[in-house]
Amino acid sequence: MPDAISPSRTVLLPDMRYSDDVQTRYRQRGYWGDEVLSDVVRAWASRHAKRTALLTERDDWDFVTLVARADRFGCHLAARGVSAGEAVILQHRNDTDFIVALLALLLLGAVPVLALPAHQQREVTHVAELATAVCYLGSEHAGIDTVALQAAVPSLCFSLLASPDRRFADWSDDAIGSLPRPAVRPEDIALLLLSGGTTGMPKLIARTHADYIYNFRASAALCAITAEDSYLAALPMAHNFPLGCPGILGTLDRGGSVVVPPSSAAEEAFETIARHRATLTALVPSLAALWLEAAEWERPDLSSMRLVQVGGAKLDAATADQLASKFGCVIQQVFGMAEGLLNFTRLDDPPDLIAATQGRPLCDDDEVRVVDDRGQDVPTGDVGELLVRGPYTIRGYYRATDYNRQAFTPDGFYRSGDRVRRLASGHLIVEGRIKDVINRHGESIAADEIEACLRDHPAVRDAAVFADQLAGYDEAIHAAVISDDATLTLNDVRAFFASLRVAAYKWPDKLSHIRQFPLTPIGKVDKRQLATLLREPAAPNT
Ligand code: OOB
């Protein structure tokens, strides 16, 4: 039984818990088992022993070596006072040290708080405080001022920064022996993911051992991962998608290897794929578009690839088709969220479903509802907000009791904020975000509808629409476009909308050209930043 001594131990608070009968049901149906993540990681060393686990520019390690290094670093952390259940911030770019530190924390039963490399002082301080973290593990790359961080977060006892000549992987000073099995239970918090929204500070998403083990094992089964697979880690590993969908954990669990390119830039990724015969990867659409562009002139050898997953933001059907033909392999759309629910197109889905939908739920017991603004279920095919409850979807954010009242229904469904359509096959099409609307002269206009029209214009490569504040509460439609034609004007766009027979109140009021959209830490269009860049100052409220 876990000791209740440490005041910094992370625990599921009442508004985050699954009820007892739900827990029993998930166990009976086999979604939740008896293992915790330290058992899983420990077993890799014996199950996959001499198989290759990790390939980077510098390392070529088998499972025995990887687990031993993680164990050794875990011993070091334990010697410095980190104990099971305590939160530790991990912020590291994709390399050996990220995986070593992550596995060390899991072996120790400590709770990694997974910050992305692009998170900054403000966000890291906020999550460290919220998680009552006891330690910060990072690298100089992230540029965090650890003195200021420790001054701001009283629970934080120490920080360790890795560098190429002092790696977590080589930490060997006072390390001795091997970590004992930690006193943690399957239903305890295993890791804290950061929410990826573009508004406000990240929230902490507590994933339990049972739920996350299901998450990566079921994803690995769906993607038919075997020991012959080799996963190219292109997206930052601290994000749920490359971490566990099936990502690095799902691949390692099946004895496959993780290959880490020097960066996610197309040339380096292509080179690494060709050299190590990588078989699958996960991309966000913005990165997929860059790789596609580069593939035009690079002519890479991608013949080893069997699966390219794309998710995190909407992938349009044309890009999905181009990806399939350039990579010569199966494309899989993944519509997921750190809060839990994962939708995948299946490997054997017909190409049109793969190109035009964002997949269907991973688990038979994912209860998905699509509701109107009164909370009533809409007919199949109609647009509504996606609500979800299931064996790997959280019931509440960590330490966010007030916010949880609005983010979850009283019966435990997570309100995703995503506007979706569900087809008769169960496949979902993501239409946009419910809050991404512009209130113009009393009409609510969905940004995604206008963006879709803009993308249909032959000169527009991509578009993002946001509200310009007018006097009072009125808003105007501001369209930002990436276009090869710098002469494209607002009037051209409005004439195009007229030709599409779009109601005139939805025509853009303003057009800006931009070379690239600002992106969030994982690579989604960051509309808040975009609006700050392009927005006119609000007119005086007269
Ligand atoms: C993934 O997780 P998060 O937590 O960074 O972001 C979740 C949100 C979703 O609620 C949705 O708004 C959007 O990102 N999203 C998509 C999408 N996948 C995610 N919107 C349209 N199409 C998609 N395919 O982004 C995430 C987590 C696990 C796997 C994949 C993505």
Side-chain angles (χ1 to χ4, degrees):
M1 275 297 107
D3 53 306
I5 306 160
S6 169
S8 45
R9 190 170 188 122
T10 54
V11 287
L12 283 179
L13 304 167
D15 65 333
M16 299 161 67
R17 285 193 199 125
Y18 300 83
S19 65
D20 288 347
D21 49 327
V22 166
Q23 296 200 32
T24 309
R25 182 151 53 90
Y26 291 160
R27 275 198 209 96
Q28 277 169 353
R29 301 212 173 158
Y31 306 132
W32 293 3
D34 299 326
E35 283 171 299
V36 293
L37 279 160
S38 64
D39 302 327
V40 170
V41 172
R42 186 72 68 198
W44 291 347
S46 45
R47 275 172 56 213
H48 312 310
K50 290 290 163 196
R51 297 198 67 92
T52 301
L54 181 62
L55 283 163
T56 70
E57 268 190 307
R58 193 166 154 178
D59 305 306
D60 176 348
W61 287 1
D62 59 25
F63 279 84
V64 171
T65 308
L66 176 61
V67 176
R69 298 288 182 113
D71 199 5
R72 204 165 71 173
F73 185 53
C75 285
H76 174 80
L77 295 175
R80 304 268 317 241
V82 179
S83 51
E86 289 183 327
V88 173
I89 310 283
L90 173 56
Q91 184 181 33
H92 206 285
R93 67 195 184 90
N94 283 7
D95 74 7
T96 302
D97 268 351
F98 178 92
I99 301 187
V100 165
L102 174 72
L103 301 186
L105 293 168
L106 298 180
L107 286 171
L108 183 54
V111 177
V113 183
L114 296 174
L116 296 171
H119 281 124
Q120 312 235 319
Q121 190 86 21
R122 218 167 97 85
E123 288 136 334
V124 172
T125 306
H126 170 77
V127 296
E129 234 173 346
L130 196 57
T132 357
V134 297
C135 164
Y136 171 83
L137 299 178
S139 70
E140 278 132 29
H141 279 280
I144 297 298
D145 175 347
T146 53
V147 175
L149 182 66
Q150 278 176 238
V153 184
S155 59
L156 214 60
C157 302
F158 69 103
S159 305
L160 295 179
L161 295 185
S163 67
D165 33 276
R166 185 143 173 80
R167 306 198 301 168
F168 298 149
D170 302 324
W171 227 269
S172 61
D173 41 7
D174 45 12
I176 21 136
S178 174
L179 289 166
R181 186 181 189 275
V184 292
R185 300 165 302 182
E187 62 276 21
D188 288 336
I189 298 176
L191 53 136
L192 289 162
L193 299 172
L194 270 56
S195 69
T198 54
T199 48
M201 287 292 206
K203 288 178 278 299
L204 288 178
I205 296 166
R207 304 294 301 264
T208 67
H209 292 270
D211 114 56
Y212 213 64
I213 292 170
Y214 173 78
N215 191 108
F216 66 73
R217 287 203 167 142
S219 300
L222 187 144
C223 294
I225 304 293
T226 71
E228 305 311 314
D229 273 309
S230 175
Y231 179 88
L232 183 95
L235 297 175
M237 296 177 191
H239 188 267
N240 188 30
F241 189 15
L243 182 69
C245 308
I248 60 173
L249 294 177
T251 303
L252 292 173
D253 193 54
R254 292 200 157 208
S257 57
V258 170
V259 183
V260 187
S263 82
S264 63
E267 313 80 70
E268 295 190 307
F270 291 162
E271 228 266 297
T272 310
I273 291 171
R275 182 147 34 96
H276 295 302
R277 309 290 300 156
T279 60
L280 79 154
T281 193
L283 305 174
V284 287
S286 56
L287 188 57
L290 290 174
W291 283 22
L292 263 182
E293 215 176 285
E296 288 296 320
W297 39 272
E298 285 254 329
R299 302 194 165 276
D301 172 10
L302 302 171
S303 57
S304 57
M305 293 295 283
R306 69 167 182 88
L307 178 65
V308 174
Q309 302 179 290
V310 188
K314 179 87 175 249
L315 177 72
D316 62 88
T319 311
D321 288 336
Q322 282 172 34
L323 278 171
S325 68
K326 258 290 168 291
F327 279 80
C329 71
V330 176
I331 303 301
Q332 179 182 63
Q333 293 216 39
V334 187
F335 162 39
M337 47 204 77
E339 288 80 359
L341 177 70
L342 300 173
N343 301 278
F344 296 88
T345 55
R346 301 314 200 247
L347 303 185
D348 58 356
D349 271 346
D352 57 323
L353 269 185
I354 292 180
T357 79
Q358 279 66 59
R360 63 184 170 83
L362 170 64
C363 178
D364 289 343
D365 275 279
D366 282 325
E367 301 169 73
V368 168
R369 293 180 59 200
V370 183
V371 302
D372 61 21
D373 47 18
R374 288 163 305 134
Q376 305 293 316
D377 293 87
V378 301
T380 302
D382 281 11
V383 178
E385 185 187 5
L386 180 147
L387 309 185
V388 60
R389 192 167 70 171
Y392 58 97
T393 297
I394 56 165
R395 296 293 166 117
Y397 290 100
Y398 188 63
R399 290 195 180 146
T401 311
D402 287 341
Y403 186 74
N404 284 342
R405 274 188 216 108
Q406 64 184 78
F408 295 82
T409 65
D411 55 351
F413 280 84
Y414 167 59
R415 298 185 206 269
S416 72
D418 291 319
R419 276 170 13 99
V420 303
R421 272 189 302 134
R422 182 167 41 188
L423 309 181
S425 63
H427 287 72
L428 299 169
I429 297 176
V430 182
E431 299 288 351
R433 301 277 305 160
I434 49 167
K435 295 223 175 88
D436 198 3
V437 290
I438 296 151
N439 295 308
R440 184 178 185 277
H441 304 338
E443 301 282 355
S444 286
I445 300 155
D448 55 82
E449 186 189 340
I450 312 307
E451 286 159 3
C453 296
L454 286 162
R455 282 192 204 104
D456 282 341
H457 190 290
V460 173
R461 281 202 282 140
D462 205 354
V465 161
F466 58 92
D468 264 351
Q469 220 66 46
L470 302 178
Y473 291 107
D474 205 6
E475 292 176 343
I477 303 174
H478 193 150
V481 293
I482 299 178
S483 169
D484 296 325
D485 178 4
T487 65
L488 183 76
T489 64
L490 178 64
N491 278 342
D492 299 335
V493 166
R494 290 168 67 95
F496 179 67
F497 273 58
S499 75
L500 294 178
R501 304 211 176 283
V502 174
Y505 73 91
K506 296 181 185 172
W507 300 359
D509 298 298
K510 182 148 192 211
L511 184 78
S512 295
H513 285 263
I514 190 163
R515 266 167 48 86
Q516 274 178 335
F517 294 129
L519 300 176
T520 66
I522 188 71
K524 310 183 191 196
V525 174
D526 186 339
K527 284 208 182 171
R528 204 163 59 138
Q529 220 184 312
L530 180 71
T532 313
L533 282 175
L534 300 177
R535 198 178 263 156
E536 297 277 307
N541 199 345
T542 44

